[in-house]
Amino acid sequence: MSGLALPSKRGTVVADVMMVGRQLRYEQLNFWRNRFGAVFTVGFSVIFLVMLAMSGATHRAAAIGNIALIQYYVPGFAAYGLMSACYNNLGISMVIRRETGLLKRLRLSPIPSWALVGAILANAAVISIVQVILLLLIGRYGYNVVLPHVWAPFVLAIAVGVVAFTALGAAVSTLVRSQESAGPIVSIIFFVLLFLSGLWFPLTPGSGLAKLANYFPIHHLILATAAPFDTAPGASPYAWHDLLVVAIWGAAGLIVAIRRFQWEPHRH
Amino acid sequence: MVSAAQVAVEVDGLSKRYGTLEAVRSVSFAVERGEVFALLGPNGAGKTTTVEILEGFRSRDAGTVSVLGHDPSGRPRALRERLGIVLQELAVEPNLTVREVLTRNAGYYPSPRPVDEVIALVGLEGKASSRIARLSGGQQRRLDVGLGIIGRPELIFLDEPTTGFDPSARRGAWDLVRALQEGGTTIILTTHYMDEAEALADRVAVIARGQIVALGPPSSIGGRDVSEATIRFRMPPGVAASDLPVPARAIGEFAELTSADEIESLHRLTGWALERALPLTGLTVERLTLEDVYLRLTAGSDGAGSIGAPTEQLSASVGGRR
């Protein structure tokens, strides 16, 4: 059963938007109450940042224009947190929702499908934004990170990242057939690409690894979120090229997700 | 004839194929408002596909379907607001509580039942604040039923509602189905349990190989009411089958006969025994059980192949039941 229904004519737009809000509230309750999932998704970005800061990230690095590493790690882990919520957590949870019959059950209930899907996507966005704000606060007050003077480029990068990685999370969920394999498959793709992304160690420009990373969106999202934090004179806060690569991946993910989406479990 | 207002579901010439498999082949039936209608059939017979088409979850290839006056294929929200669906497995966010899930789902419907009323109806009063993940299997099934009735539905689909229930929980579920029917709710039930269909359903449709092979009240389906009765008793000492006043055959220590008029046969048999002061120990009279009829109707179809027996064997085993 693929395809999402258009908004129902029944009921007002306001009532339907309120329905999304209501659904989102329960999505949030369900997410934050799962301590393990919440720590894995939200806690790791904070833990990684603090660990790297403790191991000398306040030093300056030549590879990134002689700015303090922490200045790069804070937006980098904000991007990591975003991807963790939108791609990793959403991808795994969509498989579980589908394979346990949760999507089918809600499909049969009167809630409009677009309101349900909207709430699930909004849930990933809210988790991302909570993490980004948390990491900015830790960076600013824990490590004296210089925050951007103009927020628009950073907000744009986060917005593009949320949309694109949510689409990629939804897309990858359609490629996994059982809930047992959801965690391993989704996470392995994520962590392999993360290690190629230059987040833990800056990539040497021109190296084979850097060339490979260039083809994937994770590296580019990190660059796009880090650009507004670049304190080097003359640096542009808008990384248009990187945003474009992320957006193209997001569009591809959206096409896969829409074409392959199904409401019912694979088992039978 | 029943008028349109009295018909909850009308299905005519419904067909559905998956690739080369004809899952449902020209199925037709109607369910009246307030009726409990059971679909019986082996796994893979097409009952789930049929129900999913009625629910609007699956599309059909041919035929017309009307559910509460709507074509379910477009999944109209106005129809979904009037349906209650209980699936085989509970699928609910594990970290929400019973009350939260019921409250959330109540919000999907225009005039839901009060949450506390539903909690009491399904007997989860002590568990209202428990998370779903911490409920037992039986409690989860009861919540499932609660989610099916929260919207005050006019028509409820129950997919094997008591699978995995202990006997007392089953009786409780049956009482709930009867109470819902008394309240005017139409119920379409799929089940593997013959006693469940017999206890609850006004009418039963037996589906095999994608077709309805029998349809009628459980008391008369498959000719149960007019089928021959089997009379069985222990052969009195010193008596041979040929001595009996009825055409019986000896099966071990027992004598067995089938009769279209068991009153007459019994009268002759007992009169004969009284005259001679012979005992007829272990005397039983049995008609086809619903299970016998079901097995006969679905014999040879997928899923029933291992237990489906040819008719001769079945009639031979009839006397041994109960």
Side-chain angles (χ1 to χ4, degrees), chain B residues 66-149:
Chain B
S66 167
V67 178
L68 301 177
H70 293 271
D71 181 341
S73 62
R75 301 177 60 255
R77 188 156 154 194
L79 172 61
R80 281 183 285 146
E81 286 172 350
R82 294 160 70 195
L83 298 182
I85 293 165
V86 180
L87 298 171
Q88 279 182 46
E89 281 159 56
L90 182 78
V92 176
E93 291 77 358
N95 303 312
L96 300 181
T97 67
V98 169
R99 183 183 301 283
E100 284 164 356
V101 170
L102 286 167
T103 306
R104 183 192 68 184
N105 282 32
Y108 300 159
Y109 298 90
S111 58
R113 282 192 168 85
V115 170
D116 284 313
E117 183 187 313
V118 171
I119 289 173
L121 270 172
V122 298
L124 284 175
E125 293 97 331
K127 293 284 168 187
S129 304
S130 297
R131 295 198 192 169
I132 309 304
R134 297 193 189 136
L135 297 182
S136 72
Q139 288 163 346
Q140 293 192 349
R141 296 286 292 151
R142 280 188 269 159
L143 173 61
D144 213 9
V145 174
L147 289 169
I149 64 174

Side-chain angles (χ1 to χ4, degrees), chain B residues 165-319:
Chain B
F165 276 28
D166 64 41
S168 79
R170 260 183 111 203
R171 296 289 159 168
W174 289 5
D175 289 343
L176 181 59
V177 170
R178 293 191 184 106
L180 289 169
Q181 185 184 25
E182 273 165 34
T185 312
T186 309
I187 294 160
I188 295 182
L189 161 85
T190 65
T191 183
H192 286 311
Y193 298 121
M194 302 303 137
D195 57 340
E196 186 159 285
E198 195 148 25
L200 297 176
D202 297 310
R203 284 189 307 144
V204 172
V206 178
I207 298 190
R209 295 170 297 274
Q211 289 179 305
I212 292 186
V213 292
L215 177 70
S219 58
S220 64
I221 192 165
R224 278 180 77 194
D225 53 339
V226 294
S227 70
E228 297 199 326
T230 299
I231 299 169
R232 196 168 197 247
F233 52 92
R234 196 176 290 274
M235 195 73 91
V239 174
S242 56
D243 301 332
L244 294 170
V246 286
R249 57 193 178 279
I251 297 174
E253 292 173 43
F254 282 84
E256 192 178 286
L257 67 132
T258 51
S259 167
D261 185 355
E262 72 272 28
I263 308 275
E264 198 266 349
S265 299
L266 279 172
H267 185 74
R268 277 166 53 193
L269 180 66
T270 52
W272 170 87
L274 276 174
E275 259 174 40
R276 288 160 183 76
L278 289 171
L280 291 176
T281 50
L283 176 68
T284 58
V285 183
E286 291 225 336
R287 291 193 171 279
L288 288 178
T289 64
L290 184 56
E291 190 166 349
D292 297 326
V293 171
Y294 170 81
L295 288 175
R296 198 175 63 190
L297 289 167
T298 59
S301 69
D302 290 344
S306 54
I307 50 166
T311 314
E312 316 84 78
Q313 257 174 278
L314 255 174
S315 53
S317 70
V318 164

Side-chain angles (χ1 to χ4, degrees), chain A residues 106-123:
Chain A
L106 286 167
R107 174 80 168 163
L108 292 167
S109 83
I111 185 173
S113 299
W114 64 267
L116 171 66
V117 173
I120 292 173
L121 303 185
N123 188 48

Side-chain angles (χ1 to χ4, degrees), chain A residues 132-157:
Chain A
V132 168
I133 292 172
L134 193 62
L135 288 166
L136 291 180
L137 290 174
I138 292 172
R140 171 69 186 81
Y141 295 103
Y143 303 104
N144 295 317
V145 164
V146 182
L147 298 181
H149 296 296
V150 191
W151 282 101
F154 183 72
V155 171
L156 177 70

